Amino acid sequence: MKAITFHGVGDVRAQDVAEPKIVDPTDVVLKITTSAVCGSDLHQYHGRGGVLVQTGAIMGHEFMGTVEDLGPAVRQVRRGDRVIVPFSVSCGQCEWCQRRLPTQCTTTGRAVFGGRFGHVWGGGQAQWIRVPFADHLCERVPAEMTDHDAIFLGDILSTGYFCAENGGIRPGDTVAVFGAGPVGLLATQSAQLFGPARLFAVDRVGYRLKLAEEFGAEPVSLDRGDPAEQLRALTGGRGPDVVLECVGHETPFTQAIQAVRAGGTVASVGVYVEPSLGFPAREAFFKDLTLKMGICNARNYIVPLLPLVRVGKLKPSRIITHTMALGDAPKGYAIFDRKEDRAIKVMLRP
Ligand SMILES: [Zn+2]
Ligand SMILES: [Zn+2]
């Protein structure tokens, strides 16, 4: 089958590789119908985060498809079912899965599809994929929902919503979202469900801010100077009640803490590749702020968010800018990485 594999920093290739097979009785093999390139794939692409993906590993953790083959112990899905799967590989049984923290699953060692252990759990930028613990990981998608509406439930929509939820937004609040990439844009859409009076989107890239405006946000351009100062000026000197940090670097994290009002909340879902950050702890302390951060347990959000997408209260597919053949993924990585061709979200058709 065709798959996108990792060969070194900045080097992903479309290659012919062996098709996955059922290994354990709880496995399914999906025929992938749609996959996507995620911002965290770019971390792997650049070799950020300290550990390189293995050469030849199949990339990608955003995918969906139909069940082609299944092990004898699979009960919840059948051949031909159309399913969405979360980005992290979890068993559903261990202490952490039972505590609804599947990203901490000890059975799989906190694995991610297409992650650095891509030789074990191949990624979704391929024609087929083996999904273990299928009864736990696969969620059926209603026939009337398109792939482009459903696929982001497995990662970036759930992550954006989780960030908004962690912000504890109350009706009438002022909210600022740092980052207008795919996750930030979906955090912006999600934040609207909690009834903020004002919503700001902070980014440097003009075409991304334009889309955030379409989702009801007031744009704050980093080109105009320090975002904390701009946000204070826009809110009568007080700062937003809630800041949603969707970038994952030290500077925006610091600016989020500087921007939020006293007693406010900073919720962070940016994937930090640095092992530690310069953290303005003194300012955070004297502000009495609440900080929530973490990797989204997307499995928990697929079922509750699905109806919100189905009725159009969340419109995740609006962020899609490119749909290309799987074999063109190397170009997709490059334009997404360089923010060329007004790229926001690149979809792949296996
Ligand atoms: Zn992702
Ligand atoms: Zn587990």
Side-chain angles (χ1 to χ4, degrees), residues 15-62:
Q15 266 200 324
D16 280 316
V17 301
E19 285 168 21
K21 292 194 167 47
I22 300 289
V23 177
D24 294 317
T26 51
D27 290 350
V28 294
V29 170
L30 299 186
K31 178 177 167 50
I32 295 173
T33 50
T34 299
S35 57
V37 183
C38 180
S40 48
D41 293 335
L42 294 181
H43 287 333
Q44 298 185 180
Y45 182 66
H46 286 293
R48 292 188 288 238
V51 186
L52 266 194
V53 178
Q54 303 219 340
T55 299
I58 300 172
M59 301 286 289
H61 55 262
E62 294 183 5

Short mmCIF file of all heavy atoms in Angstrom, two decimals, residues 15-62:
data_model
loop_
_atom_site.label_atom_id
_atom_site.label_comp_id
_atom_site.label_asym_id
_atom_site.label_seq_id
_atom_site.Cartn_x
_atom_site.Cartn_y
_atom_site.Cartn_z
N GLN A 15 5.66 6.18 -0.05
CA GLN A 15 6.38 4.92 -0.29
C GLN A 15 5.41 3.77 -0.36
O GLN A 15 4.33 3.84 0.23
CB GLN A 15 7.30 4.65 0.90
CG GLN A 15 8.71 5.14 0.75
CD GLN A 15 9.62 4.41 1.73
OE1 GLN A 15 9.21 4.09 2.85
NE2 GLN A 15 10.84 4.14 1.31
N ASP A 16 5.83 2.69 -1.00
CA ASP A 16 5.07 1.45 -0.92
C ASP A 16 5.55 0.66 0.29
O ASP A 16 6.76 0.42 0.43
CB ASP A 16 5.25 0.63 -2.20
CG ASP A 16 4.34 1.17 -3.32
OD1 ASP A 16 3.17 1.46 -3.00
OD2 ASP A 16 4.82 1.33 -4.45
N VAL A 17 4.63 0.30 1.16
CA VAL A 17 4.98 -0.46 2.37
C VAL A 17 4.01 -1.64 2.50
O VAL A 17 3.00 -1.70 1.80
CB VAL A 17 4.89 0.42 3.64
CG1 VAL A 17 5.83 1.61 3.55
CG2 VAL A 17 3.47 0.88 3.90
N ALA A 18 4.33 -2.55 3.43
CA ALA A 18 3.47 -3.72 3.63
C ALA A 18 2.12 -3.28 4.22
O ALA A 18 2.07 -2.37 5.05
CB ALA A 18 4.15 -4.71 4.57
N GLU A 19 1.07 -3.95 3.80
CA GLU A 19 -0.25 -3.65 4.37
C GLU A 19 -0.34 -4.21 5.79
O GLU A 19 0.19 -5.28 6.07
CB GLU A 19 -1.35 -4.29 3.51
CG GLU A 19 -1.55 -3.52 2.23
CD GLU A 19 -2.40 -4.28 1.22
OE1 GLU A 19 -3.15 -5.19 1.65
OE2 GLU A 19 -2.30 -3.96 0.03
N PRO A 20 -1.04 -3.47 6.69
CA PRO A 20 -1.17 -3.98 8.06
C PRO A 20 -2.14 -5.18 8.09
O PRO A 20 -3.02 -5.29 7.24
CB PRO A 20 -1.76 -2.79 8.81
CG PRO A 20 -2.47 -1.99 7.76
CD PRO A 20 -1.71 -2.19 6.49
N LYS A 21 -1.93 -6.01 9.10
CA LYS A 21 -2.79 -7.19 9.26
C LYS A 21 -3.29 -7.26 10.70
O LYS A 21 -2.73 -6.62 11.58
CB LYS A 21 -1.96 -8.46 8.98
CG LYS A 21 -1.55 -8.57 7.53
CD LYS A 21 -1.04 -9.97 7.22
CE LYS A 21 -0.93 -10.21 5.71
NZ LYS A 21 -0.28 -9.13 4.97
N ILE A 22 -4.32 -8.03 10.91
CA ILE A 22 -4.81 -8.30 12.26
C ILE A 22 -3.71 -9.05 13.02
O ILE A 22 -3.18 -10.04 12.52
CB ILE A 22 -6.08 -9.18 12.22
CG1 ILE A 22 -7.20 -8.48 11.44
CG2 ILE A 22 -6.53 -9.58 13.62
CD1 ILE A 22 -7.82 -7.29 12.10
N VAL A 23 -3.33 -8.55 14.19
CA VAL A 23 -2.31 -9.21 15.02
C VAL A 23 -2.99 -9.80 16.26
O VAL A 23 -2.85 -10.98 16.56
CB VAL A 23 -1.20 -8.21 15.43
CG1 VAL A 23 -0.18 -8.88 16.34
CG2 VAL A 23 -0.52 -7.63 14.18
N ASP A 24 -3.73 -8.94 16.98
CA ASP A 24 -4.42 -9.39 18.19
C ASP A 24 -5.91 -9.55 17.90
O ASP A 24 -6.44 -8.88 17.01
CB ASP A 24 -4.22 -8.36 19.31
CG ASP A 24 -2.77 -8.28 19.74
OD1 ASP A 24 -2.14 -9.35 19.88
OD2 ASP A 24 -2.25 -7.15 19.90
N PRO A 25 -6.59 -10.40 18.67
CA PRO A 25 -8.01 -10.64 18.39
C PRO A 25 -8.90 -9.41 18.56
O PRO A 25 -10.02 -9.38 18.06
CB PRO A 25 -8.40 -11.74 19.40
CG PRO A 25 -7.26 -11.88 20.34
CD PRO A 25 -6.05 -11.29 19.71
N THR A 26 -8.39 -8.37 19.24
CA THR A 26 -9.18 -7.15 19.44
C THR A 26 -8.88 -6.07 18.39
O THR A 26 -9.34 -4.95 18.51
CB THR A 26 -8.92 -6.57 20.85
OG1 THR A 26 -7.50 -6.45 21.02
CG2 THR A 26 -9.48 -7.47 21.94
N ASP A 27 -8.10 -6.41 17.37
CA ASP A 27 -7.72 -5.45 16.32
C ASP A 27 -8.79 -5.33 15.23
O ASP A 27 -9.51 -6.29 14.96
CB ASP A 27 -6.46 -5.93 15.56
CG ASP A 27 -5.20 -5.88 16.39
OD1 ASP A 27 -5.21 -5.32 17.48
OD2 ASP A 27 -4.18 -6.42 15.89
N VAL A 28 -8.81 -4.17 14.58
CA VAL A 28 -9.43 -4.08 13.26
C VAL A 28 -8.40 -3.51 12.30
O VAL A 28 -7.42 -2.89 12.72
CB VAL A 28 -10.70 -3.18 13.23
CG1 VAL A 28 -11.83 -3.77 14.06
CG2 VAL A 28 -10.40 -1.75 13.66
N VAL A 29 -8.63 -3.73 11.02
CA VAL A 29 -7.88 -3.02 9.99
C VAL A 29 -8.87 -2.12 9.26
O VAL A 29 -9.93 -2.58 8.82
CB VAL A 29 -7.19 -3.99 9.01
CG1 VAL A 29 -6.63 -3.23 7.81
CG2 VAL A 29 -6.08 -4.75 9.72
N LEU A 30 -8.55 -0.83 9.21
CA LEU A 30 -9.41 0.13 8.53
C LEU A 30 -8.85 0.43 7.15
O LEU A 30 -7.63 0.57 6.98
CB LEU A 30 -9.45 1.47 9.28
CG LEU A 30 -9.97 1.52 10.70
CD1 LEU A 30 -10.04 2.99 11.16
CD2 LEU A 30 -11.33 0.87 10.82
N LYS A 31 -9.77 0.57 6.20
CA LYS A 31 -9.42 1.17 4.91
C LYS A 31 -9.64 2.66 5.11
O LYS A 31 -10.76 3.12 5.38
CB LYS A 31 -10.34 0.64 3.83
CG LYS A 31 -10.12 1.22 2.45
CD LYS A 31 -11.07 0.53 1.47
CE LYS A 31 -11.17 1.21 0.14
NZ LYS A 31 -9.90 1.51 -0.50
N ILE A 32 -8.55 3.41 5.06
CA ILE A 32 -8.64 4.83 5.39
C ILE A 32 -9.29 5.59 4.23
O ILE A 32 -8.91 5.42 3.07
CB ILE A 32 -7.23 5.39 5.71
CG1 ILE A 32 -6.72 4.71 6.98
CG2 ILE A 32 -7.27 6.91 5.89
CD1 ILE A 32 -5.29 5.05 7.33
N THR A 33 -10.30 6.41 4.59
CA THR A 33 -10.99 7.18 3.56
C THR A 33 -10.53 8.64 3.55
O THR A 33 -10.57 9.29 2.51
CB THR A 33 -12.52 7.11 3.77
OG1 THR A 33 -12.81 7.42 5.14
CG2 THR A 33 -13.04 5.72 3.46
N THR A 34 -10.10 9.14 4.70
CA THR A 34 -9.58 10.51 4.78
C THR A 34 -8.54 10.58 5.89
O THR A 34 -8.73 9.99 6.95
CB THR A 34 -10.70 11.52 5.11
OG1 THR A 34 -11.68 11.47 4.07
CG2 THR A 34 -10.17 12.95 5.20
N SER A 35 -7.45 11.30 5.64
CA SER A 35 -6.53 11.61 6.73
C SER A 35 -6.08 13.06 6.57
O SER A 35 -6.49 13.75 5.63
CB SER A 35 -5.35 10.63 6.78
OG SER A 35 -4.65 10.62 5.57
N ALA A 36 -5.28 13.53 7.54
CA ALA A 36 -4.91 14.95 7.54
C ALA A 36 -3.52 15.12 8.11
O ALA A 36 -2.97 14.22 8.76
CB ALA A 36 -5.92 15.75 8.36
N VAL A 37 -2.95 16.29 7.86
CA VAL A 37 -1.65 16.65 8.42
C VAL A 37 -1.91 17.55 9.61
O VAL A 37 -2.62 18.56 9.50
CB VAL A 37 -0.76 17.38 7.39
CG1 VAL A 37 0.62 17.66 7.98
CG2 VAL A 37 -0.64 16.56 6.11
N CYS A 38 -1.35 17.19 10.78
CA CYS A 38 -1.58 17.93 12.02
C CYS A 38 -0.36 18.80 12.34
O CYS A 38 0.77 18.47 11.96
CB CYS A 38 -1.83 16.95 13.16
SG CYS A 38 -2.14 17.75 14.75
N GLY A 39 -0.58 19.87 13.08
CA GLY A 39 0.52 20.71 13.54
C GLY A 39 1.56 19.92 14.31
O GLY A 39 2.76 20.22 14.22
N SER A 40 1.14 18.89 15.05
CA SER A 40 2.15 18.12 15.79
C SER A 40 2.91 17.16 14.87
O SER A 40 4.01 16.73 15.20
CB SER A 40 1.57 17.42 17.02
OG SER A 40 0.40 16.76 16.72
N ASP A 41 2.36 16.85 13.68
CA ASP A 41 3.17 16.14 12.68
C ASP A 41 4.37 17.00 12.29
O ASP A 41 5.45 16.49 11.95
CB ASP A 41 2.37 15.84 11.41
CG ASP A 41 1.24 14.83 11.63
OD1 ASP A 41 1.34 14.03 12.56
OD2 ASP A 41 0.26 14.87 10.85
N LEU A 42 4.17 18.32 12.32
CA LEU A 42 5.28 19.22 11.95
C LEU A 42 6.40 19.17 12.98
O LEU A 42 7.57 19.34 12.64
CB LEU A 42 4.78 20.66 11.77
CG LEU A 42 3.84 20.91 10.60
CD1 LEU A 42 3.47 22.39 10.54
CD2 LEU A 42 4.45 20.46 9.28
N HIS A 43 6.05 18.95 14.26
CA HIS A 43 7.10 18.79 15.27
C HIS A 43 7.98 17.59 14.90
O HIS A 43 9.20 17.63 14.97
CB HIS A 43 6.51 18.57 16.66
CG HIS A 43 5.89 19.79 17.27
ND1 HIS A 43 6.29 21.06 16.96
CD2 HIS A 43 4.91 19.93 18.21
CE1 HIS A 43 5.59 21.93 17.66
NE2 HIS A 43 4.74 21.27 18.42
N GLN A 44 7.32 16.49 14.52
CA GLN A 44 8.07 15.29 14.12
C GLN A 44 8.88 15.56 12.86
O GLN A 44 10.04 15.14 12.75
CB GLN A 44 7.10 14.12 13.88
CG GLN A 44 6.33 13.75 15.12
CD GLN A 44 5.44 12.52 14.94
OE1 GLN A 44 4.77 12.13 15.88
NE2 GLN A 44 5.44 11.91 13.79
N TYR A 45 8.26 16.25 11.94
CA TYR A 45 8.87 16.60 10.65
C TYR A 45 10.17 17.39 10.86
O TYR A 45 11.15 17.21 10.15
CB TYR A 45 7.84 17.44 9.91
CG TYR A 45 8.14 17.93 8.52
CD1 TYR A 45 8.27 17.05 7.45
CD2 TYR A 45 8.19 19.30 8.25
CE1 TYR A 45 8.46 17.52 6.16
CE2 TYR A 45 8.37 19.78 6.96
CZ TYR A 45 8.52 18.87 5.92
OH TYR A 45 8.70 19.35 4.65
N HIS A 46 10.18 18.24 11.88
CA HIS A 46 11.36 19.05 12.17
C HIS A 46 12.30 18.40 13.18
O HIS A 46 13.32 18.99 13.54
CB HIS A 46 10.94 20.43 12.71
CG HIS A 46 10.39 21.32 11.64
ND1 HIS A 46 11.17 21.81 10.62
CD2 HIS A 46 9.15 21.78 11.41
CE1 HIS A 46 10.42 22.54 9.81
NE2 HIS A 46 9.20 22.53 10.27
N GLY A 47 11.90 17.25 13.69
CA GLY A 47 12.74 16.58 14.68
C GLY A 47 12.75 17.30 16.02
O GLY A 47 13.68 17.15 16.81
N ARG A 48 11.70 18.09 16.29
CA ARG A 48 11.64 18.81 17.56
C ARG A 48 11.15 17.86 18.65
O ARG A 48 10.42 16.91 18.38
CB ARG A 48 10.66 19.98 17.45
CG ARG A 48 11.16 21.08 16.51
CD ARG A 48 10.28 22.31 16.56
NE ARG A 48 8.99 22.11 15.93
CZ ARG A 48 8.54 22.85 14.91
NH1 ARG A 48 9.26 23.82 14.40
NH2 ARG A 48 7.35 22.62 14.40
N GLY A 49 11.53 18.14 19.87
CA GLY A 49 11.03 17.35 20.99
C GLY A 49 12.02 16.30 21.46
O GLY A 49 11.72 15.49 22.32
N GLY A 50 13.20 16.30 20.89
CA GLY A 50 14.26 15.47 21.44
C GLY A 50 14.38 14.07 20.86
O GLY A 50 15.47 13.54 20.77
N VAL A 51 13.27 13.46 20.49
CA VAL A 51 13.34 12.08 20.00
C VAL A 51 12.85 12.03 18.56
O VAL A 51 11.74 12.42 18.26
CB VAL A 51 12.45 11.14 20.86
CG1 VAL A 51 12.66 9.70 20.42
CG2 VAL A 51 12.77 11.31 22.33
N LEU A 52 13.70 11.56 17.67
CA LEU A 52 13.34 11.47 16.26
C LEU A 52 12.41 10.29 16.03
O LEU A 52 12.55 9.24 16.66
CB LEU A 52 14.58 11.26 15.40
CG LEU A 52 15.27 12.47 14.79
CD1 LEU A 52 16.25 11.99 13.71
CD2 LEU A 52 14.30 13.47 14.19
N VAL A 53 11.47 10.48 15.14
CA VAL A 53 10.65 9.37 14.68
C VAL A 53 11.57 8.39 13.95
O VAL A 53 12.53 8.79 13.30
CB VAL A 53 9.56 9.90 13.73
CG1 VAL A 53 8.71 8.76 13.18
CG2 VAL A 53 8.69 10.92 14.43
N GLN A 54 11.26 7.10 14.08
CA GLN A 54 12.10 6.10 13.42
C GLN A 54 11.99 6.23 11.90
O GLN A 54 10.90 6.46 11.37
CB GLN A 54 11.62 4.71 13.81
CG GLN A 54 11.65 4.53 15.31
CD GLN A 54 12.10 3.15 15.70
OE1 GLN A 54 12.04 2.23 14.91
NE2 GLN A 54 12.55 3.02 16.92
N THR A 55 13.12 6.05 11.24
CA THR A 55 13.13 6.08 9.78
C THR A 55 12.18 5.01 9.24
O THR A 55 12.21 3.87 9.70
CB THR A 55 14.56 5.83 9.26
OG1 THR A 55 15.38 6.88 9.77
CG2 THR A 55 14.61 5.83 7.74
N GLY A 56 11.35 5.41 8.32
CA GLY A 56 10.41 4.47 7.72
C GLY A 56 9.07 4.39 8.43
O GLY A 56 8.14 3.74 7.93
N ALA A 57 8.95 5.04 9.61
CA ALA A 57 7.68 5.01 10.34
C ALA A 57 6.60 5.72 9.53
O ALA A 57 6.88 6.73 8.87
CB ALA A 57 7.83 5.67 11.70
N ILE A 58 5.39 5.19 9.59
CA ILE A 58 4.26 5.80 8.87
C ILE A 58 3.70 6.93 9.71
O ILE A 58 3.39 6.77 10.88
CB ILE A 58 3.17 4.75 8.58
CG1 ILE A 58 3.74 3.61 7.72
CG2 ILE A 58 1.96 5.40 7.88
CD1 ILE A 58 2.80 2.43 7.54
N MET A 59 3.59 8.10 9.09
CA MET A 59 3.19 9.32 9.78
C MET A 59 1.66 9.41 9.91
O MET A 59 0.92 8.80 9.16
CB MET A 59 3.66 10.53 8.98
CG MET A 59 5.17 10.62 8.76
SD MET A 59 6.05 11.11 10.25
CE MET A 59 5.57 12.84 10.39
N GLY A 60 1.25 10.28 10.83
CA GLY A 60 -0.15 10.71 10.86
C GLY A 60 -1.00 10.09 11.95
O GLY A 60 -0.94 8.88 12.18
N HIS A 61 -1.77 10.93 12.63
CA HIS A 61 -2.67 10.42 13.66
C HIS A 61 -4.09 10.96 13.51
O HIS A 61 -4.91 10.80 14.39
CB HIS A 61 -2.12 10.75 15.05
CG HIS A 61 -1.85 12.21 15.23
ND1 HIS A 61 -0.59 12.76 15.07
CD2 HIS A 61 -2.67 13.23 15.50
CE1 HIS A 61 -0.68 14.08 15.26
NE2 HIS A 61 -1.93 14.39 15.52
N GLU A 62 -4.36 11.65 12.40
CA GLU A 62 -5.73 12.09 12.12
C GLU A 62 -6.20 11.31 10.91
O GLU A 62 -5.72 11.52 9.80
CB GLU A 62 -5.74 13.60 11.80
CG GLU A 62 -5.34 14.44 12.99
CD GLU A 62 -5.43 15.94 12.69
OE1 GLU A 62 -5.89 16.33 11.60
OE2 GLU A 62 -5.03 16.71 13.56
#
